[in-house]
């Protein structure tokens, strides 16, 4: 059994009277593509927000590589090696494509106010390095030709890819993708599947994938967990989950209408 | 008795802060905008009443009404020709826009009335009443009466009338309100008119006691905002309690500590609340966190 | 610095360098040097505010108050305690830095409107203190007899010396800021401006940067305040009230909120406007400022300077072709 990279222990999150997550206990092994599926409002995004520190869980604990991370602010969690994308694209629209990815390198660079303000040689060297690495990531996702465009001017498909490049630039060990295929056409979705597999293979990053597109999930993922009303309904390999009775009931029930 | 005396004057100004705070809340509830020009409505109300009374020689009650209506119209103008075009802008520009409008009002007031303070005759003449050895000005009573009438009127309006209920619905959930056919735009308009008129009424009522000049708006507005935050932004009764509380605190400070620093009391309270408990004492952090701003 | 910035900087240096020489030779406008000294001092404030507001997206209505803290530190220490001006200036910076940090840490946790109100409230409190602590500050009637600026025996006295000192500072601060916004820190500012949540998830320590840029802008204001105190040699709380804080916002907005050059040009423009061109319309000043601010915030968010510059550039290209 592979090492567990992310461990959730009875994680709950309430919003007023609403239980978005209830006692979720689950562990993600290192080096897999782990899909999280579930109907709208199941708590998938809430789970991501708890793991990445957008807000803390109401109770329970979260461990990343053995370190307890629940309640840490999200920049600290990012520093430990967790990065993410957002369901509604959250690019810095006022910056260029390249600058967005360069921002991803923030943690990997040091220059302070004085070094930046006076453009000390150390800062210049670092800046060159940031640009070089950012271009590598743009190249990896196939956006290198767009680097000078404003991020907001890209079509949605490319914005989603750019968000992944920005997240990768932080050199995460765990990447959370929140509905990366939402709003993409079939060709784009195929390319996306390809990219996700390369992220795991080439970069060795563990991927947590929230997705409604079942083809993508079944093709890409090694493991699937099903959330339903904030609880884990089932988990296992894609084929196990596909044939799970409870899942069929919930999913086909909702897919029917 | 000094204490009672300070209490009276504290309650009187406190009532005005409460009215300003209500003005903030009405607009905030419907639009999530904080209107930085709120204090200027009070200033404008006072000065316009002076104008109608002293220059046009209206009977006092008409001067009161005319001033409230005029300022209500300013609120209408503000919403119709400024806010409506800016509502979707980022919060930073919205802040700057309402500040700019407050400067416009202040600048116009300075043009019309100059920099001198003006006074208005009290609503009813007569010696102050002596209660427990402290003098209660008749006008103070008028301030309370105005305040109480507005509060009662507003709560009836919100709980009974169609428009009031519709406004509450917009505050709860604008998308849903639009879907069930509530004219959200009209409600926004109404919220601006209402809070402008309320501010003006407060301004008219207080002018006989504390005079009015063109540059009083900012401070009044800020203190009223202090009351609104202290009571929990958007919270109707919280604003009232907090307004009166700030008024009393200020007047006690002026009486027992230092009159020069009395203006700082509400401001320090504002900062403390913002730093320690920004949702206020009646508000709810959860609700605050889902607001747009 | 980008190439465009280099060219602009060259023109800027030429203009600023030659301005007093040209102006001094024409009697009717020789006092423009004095106006430009003020414009330079105010530019230091607006550059700081531009970093804070335009780049990091945080509003402050307390810049005049920070300027006042610096100015009154300089004023009080040199008049009441006979300190040398340069030392007083540094103490002003330290005091302002500490105060700004103390106010910034809790304020910057607040969202937009609350932040604006918190800085507004803080600015008013400072204004009240300046008026009330009569023994120290002289209260509403002001503080007189502040010493000029100098180190040891070397005093800055002639308008020319003041001019070049002030604009030298502006040039340095400008270079620093231009470099800053085109670095990892500038990108962090822009990211915070665009989407705090995403910036933080990408590893940017959002509150830390917000506080730092707030303190930086306060320090620049304090420095400007000290220069102001030693240049004018007289202080009065009216120069550090709310209206001035709003004027600084206006200066930045006229230049285009996210445009450092624009902030300087806007400041120079507005300083001349109020000191020279609108002097006869003094009663209209507040109204005119309000209207300009309203129109710019509503319709020309990129700023007057940017619009005019683009127009001129286009025209230049057309005529050249
Ligand atoms: N910040 C919040 N405040 C209040 N309620 C929230 C918040 N975030 C999520 N919720 C609620 O929690 C529940 C779970 O939401 P969540 O966004 O996690 O669902 P999801 O599984 O991501 O759904 P979808 O597939 O539609 O993205 C929903 O009922 C939602 O309304
Ligand atoms: Mg979701």
């Amino acid at each position: 059994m592979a090492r567990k990279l992310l461990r959730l222990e009875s994680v709950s999150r309430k919003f007023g009277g609403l239980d978005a997550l209830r006692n979720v206990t689950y562990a993600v092994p290192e080096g897999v593509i782990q899909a999280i599926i579930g109907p709208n409002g199941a708590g998938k995004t809430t789970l991501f927000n708890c793991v990445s520190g957008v807000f803390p869980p109401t109770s329970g604990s979260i461990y990343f590589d053995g370190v307890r991370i629940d309640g840490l602010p999200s920049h600290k969690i990012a520093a430990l090696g967790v990065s993410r994308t957002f369901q509604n694209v959250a690019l810095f629209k006022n910056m260029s494509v390249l600058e967005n990815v360069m921002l991803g390198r923030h943690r990997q660079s040091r220059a302070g106010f004085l070094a930046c303000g006076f453009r000390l040689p150390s800062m210049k060297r670092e800046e060159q390095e940031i640009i070089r690495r950012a271009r590598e990531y743009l190249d990896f996702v196939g956006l290198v030709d767009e680097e000078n465009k404003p991020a907001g001017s890209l079509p949605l498909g490319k914005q989603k890819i750019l968000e992944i490049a920005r997240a990768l630039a932080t050199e995460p060990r765990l990447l959370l993708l929140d509905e990366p295929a939402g709003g993409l056409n079939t060709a784009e979705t195929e390319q996306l599947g390809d990219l996700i597999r390369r992220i795991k293979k080439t970069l060795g990053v563990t991927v947590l994938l929230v997705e409604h597109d079942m083809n993508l999930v079944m093709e890409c993922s090694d493991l699937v967990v099903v959330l339903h009303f904030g609880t884990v309904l089932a988990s296992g390999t894609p084929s196990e989950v596909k044939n799970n009775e409870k899942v069929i009931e919930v999913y086909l029930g909702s897919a029917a209408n | 008795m000094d204490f009672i005396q300070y209490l009276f004057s504290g309650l009187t100004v406190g009532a005005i802060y409460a009215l300003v705070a209500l003005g903030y809340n009405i607009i905030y509830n419907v639009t999530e905008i904080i209107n930085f020009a709120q204090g200027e409505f009070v200033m404008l109300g006072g000065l316009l009443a002076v104008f109608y009374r002293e220059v046009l020689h209206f009977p006092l009650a008409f001067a009161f009404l005319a001033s409230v209506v005029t300022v209500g119209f300013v609120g209408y103008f503000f919403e119709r020709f400024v806010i409506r075009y800016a509502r979707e802008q980022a919060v930073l520009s919205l802040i700057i826009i309402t500040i700019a409008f407050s400067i416009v009002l202040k600048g116009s007031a300075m043009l019309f009335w100059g920099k001198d303070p003006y006074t208005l005759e009290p609503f009813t003449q007569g010696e102050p009443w002596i209660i427990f050895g402290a003098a209660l000005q008749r006008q103070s009573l008028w301030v309370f009466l105005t305040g109480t009438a507005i509060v009662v009127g507003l709560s009836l309006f919100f709980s009974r009338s169609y428009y009031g209920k519709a406004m509450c619905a917009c505050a709860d959930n604008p998308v849903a309100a639009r879907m069930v056919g509530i004219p959200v735009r009209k409600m926004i308009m109404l919220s601006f008119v209402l809070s402008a008129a309320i501010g003006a009424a407060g301004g008219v009522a207080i002018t006989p006691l504390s005079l009015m000049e063109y540059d009083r708006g900012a401070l009044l507005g800020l203190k009223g905002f202090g009351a609104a935050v202290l009571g929990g932004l958007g919270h109707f009764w919280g604003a009232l309690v907090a307004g009166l509380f700030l008024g009393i605190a200020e007047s006690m400070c002026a009486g027992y500590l230092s009159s020069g620093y009395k203006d700082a009391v509400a401001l320090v309270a504002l900062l403390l609340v913002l730093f320690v408990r920004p949702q206020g004492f009646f508000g709810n952090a959860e609700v605050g966190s889902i607001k747009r701003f | 610095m980008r190439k465009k910035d280099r060219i602009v900087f060259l023109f800027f240096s030429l203009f600023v360098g030659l301005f007093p020489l040209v102006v001094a030779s024409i009697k009717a406008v020789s006092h423009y040097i004095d106006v430009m000294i003020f414009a330079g001092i105010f530019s230091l404030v607006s550059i700081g505010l531009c970093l804070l507001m335009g780049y990091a997206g945080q509003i402050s209505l307390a810049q005049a108050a920070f300027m006042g803290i610096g100015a009154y530190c300089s004023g009080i220490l040199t008049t009441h305690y006979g300190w040398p001006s340069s030392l007083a200036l540094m103490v002003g910076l330290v005091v302002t830095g500490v105060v700004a940090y103390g106010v910034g840490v809790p304020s910057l946790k607040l969202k937009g409107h609350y932040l604006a109100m918190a800085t507004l409230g803080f600015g008013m409190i400072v204004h009240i203190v300046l008026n009330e602590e009569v023994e120290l500050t002289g209260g509403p009637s002001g503080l007189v007899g502040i010493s000029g600026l100098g180190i040891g025996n070397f005093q800055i006295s002639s308008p020319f010396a003041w001019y070049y000192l002030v604009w030298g500072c502006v040039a340095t601060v400008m270079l620093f800021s231009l470099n800053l916004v085109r670095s990892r820190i500038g990108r962090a500012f822009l990211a915070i401006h665009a989407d705090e949540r995403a910036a933080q998830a990408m590893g940017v320590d959002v509150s830390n940067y917000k506080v730092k840029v707030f303190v930086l802008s306060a320090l620049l204001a304090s420095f400007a305040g000290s220069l102001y105190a030693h240049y004018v040699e007289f202080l009065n709380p009216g120069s550090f009230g709310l209206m001035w804080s709003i004027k600084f916002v206006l200066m930045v907005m006229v230049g285009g909120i996210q445009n450092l050059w624009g902030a300087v040009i806007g400041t120079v423009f507005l300083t001349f406007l109020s000191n020279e061109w609108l002097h006869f319309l003094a009663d209209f000043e507040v109204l005119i400022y309000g209207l300009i601010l309203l129109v710019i915030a509503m319709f020309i968010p990129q700023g007057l300077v940017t619009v005019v510059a683009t127009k001129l550039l286009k025209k230049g290209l057309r005529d050249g072709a």
Side-chain angles (χ1 to χ4, degrees):
Chain A
M1 188 90 198
R3 243 157 58 88
K4 301 296 186 194
L5 186 62
L6 179 72
R7 218 146 42 81
L8 304 165
E9 282 179 8
S10 45
V11 170
S12 303
R13 171 72 209 192
K14 289 191 199 325
F15 292 109
L18 180 103
D19 291 299
L21 292 174
R22 316 175 204 203
N23 272 321
V24 173
T25 299
Y26 193 74
V28 182
E30 182 153 21
V32 300
I33 296 176
Q34 164 82 63
I36 303 176
I37 61 173
N40 291 113
K44 306 178 296 291
T45 300
T46 306
L47 184 81
F48 271 19
N49 285 339
C50 288
V51 171
S52 65
V54 170
F55 44 64
T58 321
S59 66
S61 36
I62 304 174
Y63 296 88
F64 175 71
D65 198 21
V67 182
R68 188 160 174 184
I69 57 168
D70 54 274
L72 288 183
S74 61
H75 67 276
K76 292 220 167 114
I77 295 177
L80 290 171
V82 179
S83 197
R84 69 171 292 178
T85 65
F86 293 85
Q87 185 169 348
N88 313 311
V89 185
L91 286 172
F92 308 123
K93 300 221 164 75
N94 50 351
M95 294 157 77
S96 74
V97 167
L98 182 65
E99 283 168 339
N100 265 274
V101 184
M102 285 169 79
L103 185 103
R105 301 297 296 168
H106 193 80
R107 276 274 151 188
Q108 271 71 32
S109 43
R110 291 274 79 81
F113 272 71
L114 291 182
C116 289
F118 293 114
R119 266 191 106 70
L120 301 183
S122 63
M123 177 268 178
K124 278 196 206 162
R125 240 176 292 126
E126 201 181 70
E127 189 81 357
Q128 290 309 315
E129 178 68 8
I130 295 176
I131 294 178
R132 192 179 65 77
R133 292 303 303 270
R135 289 213 173 103
E136 278 178 20
Y137 286 104
L138 279 180
D139 193 35
F140 183 79
V141 302
L143 280 180
V144 90
D145 297 332
E146 325 259 359
E147 68 171 47
N148 288 323
K149 291 188 184 159
S153 73
L154 296 184
L156 179 68
K158 288 185 172 170
Q159 291 197 12
K160 294 217 144 186
I161 301 287
L162 173 58
E163 220 191 350
I164 296 178
R166 184 182 68 183
L168 286 175
T170 67
E171 297 186 23
R173 292 169 60 201
L174 176 68
L175 176 64
L176 317 178
L177 301 177
D178 199 346
E179 301 198 15
L184 267 56
N185 63 31
T186 332
E188 287 171 331
T189 308
E190 250 167 52
Q191 285 174 1
L192 177 73
D194 199 48
L195 174 62
I196 295 174
R197 276 187 294 260
R198 280 195 296 132
I199 289 173
K200 175 184 131 181
K201 263 219 198 87
T202 320
L203 304 178
V205 175
T206 308
V207 178
L208 227 62
L209 171 69
V210 164
E211 189 45 70
H212 283 298
D213 184 323
M214 280 309 135
N215 283 334
L216 182 66
V217 168
M218 294 302 158
E219 269 172 37
C220 271
S221 50
D222 303 306
L223 293 169
V224 179
V225 56
V226 185
L227 277 186
H228 186 55
F229 284 119
T231 56
V232 176
L233 186 73
S235 65
T237 63
S239 55
E240 282 169 11
V241 168
K242 210 168 8 181
N243 298 318
N244 182 307
E245 271 175 30
K246 283 190 280 182
V247 178
I248 292 173
E249 197 179 309
V250 167
Y251 253 81
L252 295 187
S254 66
N257 48 52
Chain B
M1 277 292 288
D2 285 349
F3 180 79
I4 306 269
Q5 189 69 67
Y6 300 148
L7 195 65
F8 285 160
S9 57
L11 285 170
T12 314
V13 282
I16 301 301
Y17 300 159
L19 289 184
V20 179
L22 283 183
Y24 280 112
N25 283 343
I26 292 171
I27 292 180
Y28 177 79
N29 273 341
V30 180
T31 63
E32 298 184 8
I33 291 172
I34 297 294
N35 171 26
F36 281 74
Q38 196 62 39
E40 312 298 333
F41 293 147
V42 182
M43 174 275 293
L44 219 50
L47 289 180
L48 275 170
V50 174
F51 170 76
Y52 286 129
R53 178 75 192 112
E54 306 293 328
V55 180
L56 301 187
H57 301 292
F58 282 19
L60 195 57
F62 280 121
F64 186 127
L65 272 182
S67 159
V68 169
V69 170
T70 316
V71 178
F73 190 77
V74 173
Y76 166 84
F77 176 88
F78 183 35
E79 198 285 330
R80 179 68 187 74
F81 296 103
V82 179
I83 294 294
R84 190 167 293 182
Y85 298 102
R87 236 162 60 73
E88 297 310 322
Q89 291 204 20
V91 60
L92 191 68
S93 349
L94 265 175
I95 294 172
I96 294 174
I97 285 168
T98 60
I99 289 178
F101 189 72
S102 81
I103 303 292
V104 169
L105 291 184
K106 179 173 157 178
S108 320
M110 193 181 99
L111 269 186
F112 280 114
W113 286 284
K115 296 185 173 175
D116 297 325
Y118 286 82
T119 184
L120 184 67
E121 70 201 71
F123 292 4
T124 44
Q125 304 294 333
E127 290 297 305
W129 291 297
I130 307 295
I131 299 173
F132 298 121
L136 177 64
Q137 300 286 339
R138 284 168 190 243
Q139 185 63 26
S140 289
L141 219 60
W142 277 112
V143 173
F144 290 134
L145 265 174
T146 314
T148 315
I150 287 173
V151 169
V152 171
L154 274 182
S155 25
L156 285 180
F157 174 71
F158 283 128
S159 60
R160 298 285 163 79
S161 77
Y162 166 77
Y163 276 104
K165 285 187 204 158
M167 267 172 93
C168 291
C170 292
D172 283 345
N173 189 339
V175 181
R178 190 166 278 137
M179 281 197 303
V180 299
I182 292 174
V184 174
R185 252 198 187 175
K186 236 189 212 166
M187 296 301 132
I188 292 173
M189 159 84 60
L190 191 59
S191 73
F192 274 85
V193 174
L194 255 183
S195 61
I198 291 173
V204 184
I206 196 75
T207 301
L209 282 172
S210 64
L211 313 186
M212 192 55 76
E213 67 224 74
Y214 82 104
D215 67 349
R216 286 274 287 284
L219 199 54
L220 275 169
L222 201 54
K223 288 176 180 176
F225 185 74
V229 173
L230 194 64
L233 203 55
H235 206 282
F236 192 85
W237 296 105
L240 283 182
V241 177
L244 294 176
F245 170 78
L246 281 186
I248 295 170
E250 183 176 305
S251 145
M252 294 295 163
C253 169
Y256 293 112
L257 298 172
S258 143
S259 65
Y261 277 108
K262 80 174 170 48
D263 284 336
V265 172
L267 304 183
V268 171
L270 167 65
L271 288 194
L272 284 180
V273 183
L274 281 181
F275 293 170
V276 178
R277 203 182 148 80
Q279 72 273 30
F281 286 95
F282 300 88
N284 180 323
E286 194 94 37
V287 173
S289 69
I290 60 169
K291 289 282 185 190
R292 195 152 58 104
F293 304 131
Chain C
M1 252 198 300
R2 290 178 188 169
K3 199 165 161 214
K4 196 184 87 192
D5 286 331
R6 268 194 213 143
I7 298 170
V8 179
F9 194 77
L10 196 74
F11 274 107
F12 165 80
S13 313
L14 269 178
F15 177 80
V16 167
L18 296 178
F19 181 84
L21 307 179
V22 174
V23 168
S25 59
I26 308 168
K27 188 104 198 344
V29 291
S30 58
H31 63 288
Y32 275 18
I33 293 181
D34 180 59
V35 183
M36 271 298 268
I37 293 172
F38 283 113
I41 292 174
F42 298 147
S43 292
L44 295 170
V45 186
S46 42
I47 292 173
L49 186 60
C50 181
L51 289 174
L52 177 70
M53 200 164 76
Y55 285 88
Q58 311 300 310
I59 195 166
S60 163
L61 296 172
Q63 292 315 98
F66 288 127
M67 195 179 167
I69 295 177
Y72 272 90
C73 277
S74 275
I76 291 168
L77 289 176
T78 55
T79 51
H80 294 331
Y81 301 97
W83 284 34
S85 52
S86 48
L87 204 58
L89 184 148
M90 306 239 209
V91 171
L93 286 176
V94 173
V95 172
T96 311
V98 171
V99 173
Y101 185 82
V103 175
V105 168
S107 307
L108 293 160
K109 290 207 184 98
L110 303 168
K111 290 200 255 175
H113 285 120
Y114 289 98
L115 175 63
M117 282 291 188
T119 52
L120 188 62
F122 167 74
M124 284 213 182
I125 292 174
V126 170
H127 192 243
I128 292 172
V129 172
L130 294 183
N131 269 307
E132 292 305 319
E133 291 301 315
V134 178
E135 275 180 24
L136 273 181
T137 65
S141 47
L143 186 65
V144 286
I146 301 166
S147 74
L149 192 63
I151 299 174
N153 288 330
F154 178 71
Q155 282 289 324
I156 299 185
S157 44
S158 79
F160 278 96
W162 265 105
Y163 177 92
Y164 285 111
L165 172 80
V166 165
W167 280 96
C169 292
V170 175
T172 314
V173 168
M174 192 65 196
L175 277 179
F176 182 92
S177 307
L178 284 170
N179 287 334
L180 193 66
V181 299
R182 316 247 191 270
S183 72
R184 69 187 281 271
I185 293 181
R187 285 191 294 275
F189 289 167
L190 287 175
I192 292 170
H193 193 162
D195 191 330
E196 273 185 31
R197 198 186 42 155
Q200 186 133 14
M202 292 304 113
V204 176
D205 186 346
V206 170
S207 42
N208 182 24
Y209 277 114
K210 282 206 242 173
V211 171
K212 279 187 176 156
V213 66
F214 186 70
V215 171
L216 176 65
S217 77
L219 289 178
L220 284 172
S222 169
F223 182 66
S226 288
L227 288 181
Y228 180 90
H230 294 302
Y231 178 60
V232 185
E233 302 185 354
F234 166 78
L235 292 176
N236 151 333
S239 319
F240 308 106
L242 171 63
M243 198 56 213
W244 271 98
S245 285
I246 293 175
K247 271 193 206 170
F248 288 125
V249 172
L250 177 60
M251 289 170 183
V252 174
M253 296 289 291
V254 168
I257 191 166
Q258 207 176 88
N259 181 345
L260 286 162
W261 289 115
V264 174
I265 297 172
T267 308
V268 171
F269 172 70
L270 280 173
T271 310
F272 272 92
L273 200 65
S274 70
N275 286 27
E276 291 295 316
W277 307 325
L278 280 189
H279 214 63
F280 65 101
L281 285 178
D283 283 346
F284 288 84
E285 200 186 336
V286 179
L287 180 58
I288 290 174
Y289 284 161
L291 287 175
I292 299 178
L293 190 56
L294 192 61
V295 169
I296 289 179
M298 285 182 71
F299 303 112
I300 342 180
Q302 70 274 38
L304 270 184
V305 172
T306 318
V307 170
V308 173
T310 328
K311 279 253 166 66
L312 285 182
L313 209 65
K314 276 205 187 122
K315 189 170 182 302
L317 286 180
R318 227 184 12 245
D319 293 354

